[in-house]
C-alpha cells in the first residue's frame, strides 16, 4: 500500500543543507501497521510529511497503492491518506471552532450529513459533543490531540499516517485511542504508518518496526525481535534497554 | 524547607457554554524536590502549573486561600513583581513547546535574549552559553539549531530548546509540563538526569507534570494524582505502582506492555464519587 524507495529529504535553511532523511526504504502492505521509532530529530516526522507532500522529495520515490504520488497531492490523495500531526496545537486553526475543524474536510469534498458525522467523530474519540463549539485553546493538550485524530478520520481514509498520536494523552485516553485505532483498522481495513517513541505502544500496535537514527534507517525489526530482544544493532538495543528499564 | 506552598487553589473559566471549573481546591507544598503531577487529560494539571506563575488568560480566574513562593505572596504580587519572578526565579516548560516559542525569531536570538539584557553578557559569551545549553540537552548540531526557526525543528528538538531556554537563568522553581513527551527514551534519560542534577546539587524545586506513570514513579520523589480538578491521592513516587486509589490503579492498568496481549487495552471505569 505504501512503498518508499531510497527516499532522501534535504532542507535548505540559512545557506545550510539539512539532510533530514538519507536513503530510507520501506514497504507496507495493505492492512499492515508499520512503526517508525528512533532518535529525536532522526527524520521520522519528515518521512510522514514527505508522503503527504509537506516535505520535499529530494531523491527516491514514494508510491501509494502502486502509483507514484503526484505533486501537488490532490483531492483523491487526501481521501485516501490522512495524517495526524505530532503537534496538535499547531495543526488546529486557532480561530476555528472544533465544529468547523471537523466539518471543513466534509465541505471541501462535498460530503453531506455533516452534523451527524461530526457528533459521531467526537463520540468515537471520547469527547463530549458539547465541545463542538469550543476553540482549540479552550481544550487541554490531550483533548486537542483527540480532535486532531477525529479530523483525520472524517474522510474515512484507507491509510493513516500517525505521528506520535498518543504521546500527549494520559494512560486511559491513550488506551481508548489505541483501541479505537485498532478497531477501525480491523473494521475498515486501514493501513497505518505510525511514529512513537514509546516502544510498548509500538509493540502493541505494529507488525514491523523501522529504527532510525540521524536521518538513516538503522534496523528493521518485527514484533518477535522486540519481544525476544533479538535486535542486531547496538542502537536498537540501547533504545530497548532504556525503555525496558521503565517496566517497573 | 518549603519553597512553594499552595492552599485551596481554584481556576475557573466563564465560557458561553457555562462555567468550567478546571481546578477545584488543590493544596500542596513543594520543597527542593521532584514533585510529580499525574492524572488524566483535562484533569487540571497544566492549569495548576500555570496558576503558580499566574499565567491564566482571561476569562480564566485564579483564586486561592494562599499561594507563597519563597516568601513572596503570589496572590498579592503586582503584575510587575510577577514578571520579575518569572524566568529568573520560576520558569515553566510549556506543554506545546513549538507554540510557545516565538515563530519569527530564530532559536539563538530567543536563547540569548535574557542573557544579553538581564545578565549583560557579550554576544559571544551569550552564544557560547546557548551552545552549551543545547549540547547539554543532546542537540546534535547546536550551531545549526541556533540559526533555525521553530518550524525547522523536530518535535523533540523544540521540547529540548524550550528546556534549555528555561534552565539558562537557573530558576529556583521549574514547572515542567510534559517536558519529555516527544523524546526518545535515550535522550529522555539525559534530560531527566540534568533536571535531577539541578534538584540535587542546586536545590531547585521541580514540578514534573506528566501522564507517564512509570516515568514519574521512577523519577520523582512525591506524586499528586489529579482527577477532575482535584487531588485524589498523594503518595511517595516509589509507591505509585502500588497505588491504592482505584483511579490511579485504573490508569496503571491501561498501559500497554512490550510482549503484552494485543487485544483491547483495559479502559478506566470512572466513578462519580472520585470527583467529590
Ligand atoms: N522545514 C525544515 N527546515 C529545515 N530543517 C528541518 C525542517 N523540518 C525538519 N528539519 C530538520 O530535519 C531533521 C529531522 O526532523 P524530524 O522532524 O523529521 O525528526 P523526528 O525524527 O520526527 O524527531 P522527533 O522525534 O523529535 O519529532 C531535524 O534535524 C530537523 O531540524
Ligand atoms: N480557556 C479555557 N476555557 C474553558 N475551559 C478551559 C480553558 N482552558 C482549559 N480549559 C479546561 O480546563 C480543564 C483542565 O485543563 P488542563 O489544561 O489543566 O488539563 P491537563 O490536566 O493539563 O490535561 P492534558 O493532560 O490533556 O494536558 C480541561 O477540561 C479544559 O478543557
Ligand atoms: Mg517528529
Ligand atoms: Mg496539560
Amino acid at each position: 500500500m505504501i512503498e518508499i524507495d531510497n527516499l532522501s529529504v534535504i532542507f535548505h535553511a540559512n545557506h545550510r543543507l539539512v539532510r533530514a532523511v538519507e536513503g530510507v526504504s520501506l514497504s507496507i502492505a495493505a492492512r499492515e501497521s508499520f512503526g517508525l521509532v528512533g532518535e529525536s530529530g532522526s527524520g521520522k516526522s519528515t518521512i510522514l510529511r514527505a508522503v503527504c507532500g509537506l516535505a520535499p522529495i529530494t531523491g527516491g520515490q514514494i508510491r501509494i497503492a502502486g502509483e507514484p504520488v503526484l505533486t501537488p497531492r490532490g483531492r483523491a490523495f487526501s481521501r485516501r491518506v490522512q495524517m495526524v500531526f505530532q503537534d496538535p496545537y499547531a495543526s488546529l486553526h486557532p480561530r476555528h471552532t472544533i465544529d468547523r475543524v471537523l466539518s471543513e474536510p466534509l465541505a471541501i469534498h462535498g460530503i453531506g450529513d455533516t452534523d451527524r458525522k461530526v457528533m459521531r467523530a467526537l463520540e468515537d474519540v471520547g469527547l463530549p459533543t458539547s465541545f463542538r463549539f469550543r476553540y482549540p485553546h479552550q481544550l487541554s493538550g490531550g483533548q486537542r490531540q483527540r480532535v486532531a485524530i477525529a479530523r483525520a478520520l472524517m474522510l474515512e481514509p484507507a491509510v493513516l499516517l500517525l505521528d506520535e498520536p498518543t504521546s500527549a494523552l494520559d494512560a486511559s485516553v491513550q488506551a481508548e485511542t489505541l483501541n479505537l485505532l485498532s478497531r477501525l483498522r480491523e473494521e475498515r481495513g486501514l493501513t497505518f504508518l505510525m511514529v512513537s517513541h514509546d516502544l510498548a505502544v509500538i509493540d502493541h500496535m505494529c507488525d514491523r518496526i523501522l529504527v532510525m537514527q540521524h536521518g538513516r534507517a538503522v534496523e528493521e525489526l518485527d514484533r518477535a525481535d522486540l519481544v525476544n530482544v533479538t535486535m542486531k544493532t547496538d542502537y536498537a538495543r540501547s533504545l530497548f534497554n532504556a525503555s525496558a528499564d521503565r517496566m517497573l | 524547607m518549603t519553597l512553594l506552598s499552595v492552599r485551596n487553589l481554584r481556576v475557573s473559566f466563564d465560557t458561553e457554554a457555562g462555567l468550567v471549573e478546571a481546578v477545584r481546591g488543590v493544596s500542596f507544598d513543594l520543597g527542593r524536590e521532584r514533585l510529580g503531577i499525574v492524572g488524566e487529560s483535562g484533569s487540571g494539571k497544566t492549569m495548576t502549573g500555570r496558576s503558580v506563575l499566574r499565567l491564566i488568560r482571561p476569562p480564566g480566574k485564579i483564586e486561592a486561600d494562599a499561594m507563597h513562593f519563597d516568601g513572596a505572596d503570589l496572590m498579592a504580587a503586582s503584575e510587575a513583581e510577577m514578571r520579575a519572578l518569572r524566568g529568573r526565579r520560576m520558569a515553566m516548560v510549556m506543554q506545546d513547546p513549538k507554540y510557545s516559542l516565538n515563530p519569527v525569531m530564530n532559536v539563538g536570538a530567543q536563547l540569548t535574549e535574557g542573557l544579553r539584557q538581564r545578565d549583560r553578557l557579550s554576544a559571544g559569551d551569550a552564544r557560547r552559553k546557548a551552545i552549551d545549553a543545547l549540547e547539554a540537552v543532546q542537540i546534535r548540531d547546536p550551531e545549526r539549531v541556533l540559526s533555525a526557526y521553530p518550524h525547522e525543528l523536530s518535535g523533540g528538538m523544540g521540547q529540548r530548546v524550550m528546556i534549555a531556554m528555561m534552565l539558562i537563568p537557573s530558576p529556583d522553581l521549574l514547572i515542567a509540563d510534559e517536558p519529555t513527551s516527544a523524546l526518545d527514551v535515550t535522550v529522555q534519560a539525559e534530560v531527566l538526569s540534568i533536571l535531577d542534577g539541578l534538584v540535587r546539587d542546586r536545590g531547585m524545586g521541580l514540578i514534573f507534570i506528566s501522564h507517564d506513570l512509570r516515568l514519574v514513579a521512577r523519577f520523582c520523589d512525591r506524586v499528586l494524582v489529579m482527577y477532575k480538578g482535584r487531588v485524589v491521592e498523594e503518595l511517595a513516587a516509589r509507591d505509585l505502582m502500588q497505588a491504592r486509589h482505584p483511579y490511579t490503579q485504573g490508569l496503571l492498568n491501561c498501559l500497554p506492555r512490550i510482549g503484552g496481549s494485543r487485544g483491547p487495552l483495559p479502559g478506566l471505569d470512572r466513578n462519580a464519587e472520585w470527583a467529590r
Side-chain angles (χ1 to χ4, degrees):
Chain A
M1 189 66 157
I2 307 176
E3 289 160 290
I4 298 181
D5 275 341
N6 205 19
L7 174 70
S8 297
V9 177
I10 300 178
F11 294 104
H12 298 260
N14 300 298
H15 317 291
R16 282 166 197 261
L17 296 184
V18 181
R19 296 176 195 282
V21 178
E22 296 188 77
V24 171
S25 300
L26 55 89
S27 163
I28 309 170
R31 297 168 172 263
E32 198 181 13
S33 173
F34 190 95
L36 275 180
V37 302
E39 192 184 25
S40 169
S42 61
K44 305 180 296 292
S45 299
T46 303
I47 291 178
L48 269 53
R49 298 176 70 92
V51 173
C52 290
L54 300 171
I57 301 177
T58 315
Q61 200 183 47
I62 299 177
R63 291 186 299 278
I64 302 286
E67 298 289 324
V69 290
L70 301 174
T71 307
R73 294 290 183 273
R75 274 192 198 182
F77 180 90
S78 52
R79 289 201 70 158
R80 179 179 261 167
V81 182
Q82 282 286 319
M83 174 156 172
V84 175
F85 292 88
Q86 182 168 11
D87 194 345
Y89 203 101
S91 69
L92 299 178
H93 194 295
R95 289 195 225 303
H96 290 179
T97 59
I98 304 312
D99 188 64
R100 177 147 177 212
V101 165
L102 296 181
S103 51
E104 208 153 65
L106 298 176
I108 291 172
H109 287 86
I111 302 169
D113 202 10
T114 312
D115 257 21
R116 202 184 55 85
K117 288 204 156 107
V118 167
M119 306 285 257
R120 174 72 199 278
L122 286 170
E123 275 164 22
D124 273 347
V125 295
L127 289 175
T129 46
S130 62
F131 274 39
R132 270 178 90 172
F133 301 106
R134 287 204 189 182
Y135 291 88
H137 77 267
Q138 296 176 318
L139 304 183
S140 78
Q143 291 163 346
R144 288 200 288 263
Q145 182 66 320
R146 282 185 271 175
V147 171
I149 292 172
R151 180 181 55 184
L153 293 171
M154 293 310 292
L155 293 175
E156 306 190 1
V159 175
L160 275 183
L161 309 176
L162 301 156
D163 197 353
E164 303 275 11
T166 62
S167 68
L169 304 179
D170 69 86
S172 67
V173 183
Q174 167 171 285
E176 285 160 20
T177 308
L178 295 180
N179 289 346
L180 167 73
L181 290 171
S182 298
R183 196 189 79 220
L184 289 171
R185 187 158 78 95
E186 184 96 341
E187 286 172 6
R188 302 187 188 169
L190 302 184
T191 306
F192 289 170
L193 172 54
M194 174 166 174
V195 176
S196 174
H197 60 83
D198 186 331
L199 289 184
V201 167
I202 287 285
D203 175 66
H204 185 74
M205 298 294 290
C206 299
D207 312 310
R208 284 184 303 133
I209 302 151
L210 186 68
V211 181
M212 295 200 45
Q213 188 181 28
H214 209 24
R216 294 182 181 276
V218 173
E219 184 175 0
E220 192 176 305
L221 304 169
D222 60 26
R223 199 169 175 242
D225 292 322
L226 204 58
V227 174
N228 304 321
V229 204
T230 48
M231 41 289 275
K232 294 186 190 68
T233 58
D234 290 344
Y235 181 65
R237 194 176 300 272
S238 74
L239 270 188
F240 177 84
N241 285 339
S243 59
D245 167 33
R246 295 164 59 179
M247 310 292 129
L248 296 172
Chain B
M1 203 204 80
T2 305
L3 186 64
L4 173 72
S5 129
V6 174
R7 288 292 168 275
N8 198 18
L9 171 69
R10 296 173 306 279
V11 180
S12 54
F13 294 89
D14 207 353
T15 70
E16 281 154 38
L19 190 70
V20 177
E21 297 184 282
V23 180
R24 304 182 301 137
V26 163
S27 302
F28 63 92
D29 289 312
L30 175 75
R32 301 193 180 272
E33 61 176 331
R34 300 161 298 187
L35 176 69
I37 302 184
V38 300
E40 66 180 352
S41 182
S43 58
K45 305 180 296 293
T46 296
M47 293 306 144
T48 300
R50 293 184 75 105
S51 303
V52 172
L53 295 178
R54 289 225 328 247
L55 286 176
I56 305 274
R57 284 183 216 101
K61 209 166 78 211
I62 308 176
E63 293 163 290
D65 293 354
M67 195 153 68
H68 289 277
F69 166 71
D70 202 17
D73 183 343
L74 297 177
M75 292 307 286
S78 68
E79 201 34 54
E81 288 167 325
M82 286 309 295
R83 267 199 303 276
L85 286 172
R86 278 182 219 131
R88 173 113 247 179
R89 302 222 40 218
M90 30 195 226
M92 181 157 176
V93 174
M94 299 291 175
Q95 187 171 7
D96 292 296
K98 280 213 204 164
Y99 181 74
S100 315
L101 293 168
N102 185 337
V104 295
M105 206 170 159
N106 73 30
V107 167
Q110 299 188 56
L111 282 177
T112 54
E113 199 177 28
L115 290 168
R116 304 268 289 138
Q117 286 173 8
R118 199 179 43 226
D119 302 333
R120 311 231 162 259
L121 292 190
S122 70
D125 286 347
R127 188 180 161 82
R128 262 184 298 281
K129 262 204 130 149
I131 288 180
D132 288 348
L134 290 178
E135 271 173 350
V137 292
Q138 307 289 307
I139 294 278
R140 268 180 185 269
D141 189 358
E143 301 271 350
R144 195 253 302 176
V145 168
L146 279 187
S147 57
Y149 288 86
H151 76 273
E152 298 171 336
L153 304 176
S154 80
M157 287 161 79
Q159 219 163 34
R160 286 177 283 160
V161 164
M162 185 88 193
I163 293 171
M165 187 152 90
M166 293 306 136
L167 291 180
I168 282 177
S170 309
D172 296 304
L173 168 65
L174 180 71
I175 301 172
D177 195 357
E178 302 280 5
T180 64
S181 64
L183 301 181
D184 64 89
V185 283
T186 51
V187 170
Q188 179 184 63
E190 296 291 338
V191 169
L192 293 179
S193 87
I194 297 175
L195 296 179
D196 198 37
L198 292 171
V199 174
R200 231 178 358 187
D201 307 335
R202 282 221 1 263
M204 182 178 82
L206 175 67
I207 297 181
F208 190 87
I209 299 174
S210 173
H211 60 260
D212 189 335
L213 294 147
R214 291 173 183 139
L215 180 68
V216 167
R218 207 182 68 201
F219 176 67
C220 292
D221 301 304
R222 258 180 335 122
V223 190
L224 305 179
V225 183
M226 287 189 70
Y227 181 68
K228 289 201 194 304
R230 279 186 178 282
V231 173
V232 294
E233 185 170 31
E234 177 178 346
L235 69 179
R238 62 176 176 285
D239 299 332
L240 185 60
M241 305 315 273
Q242 290 86 42
R244 287 284 156 84
H245 198 285
Y247 169 63
T248 321
Q249 285 174 353
L251 283 178
L252 286 167
N253 289 338
C254 314
L255 292 170
R257 273 180 305 108
I258 292 178
S261 141
R262 299 185 99 185
L265 295 161
L268 179 62
D269 287 324
R270 291 169 181 77
N271 184 330
E273 285 290 311
W274 303 343
R276 290 273 161 85

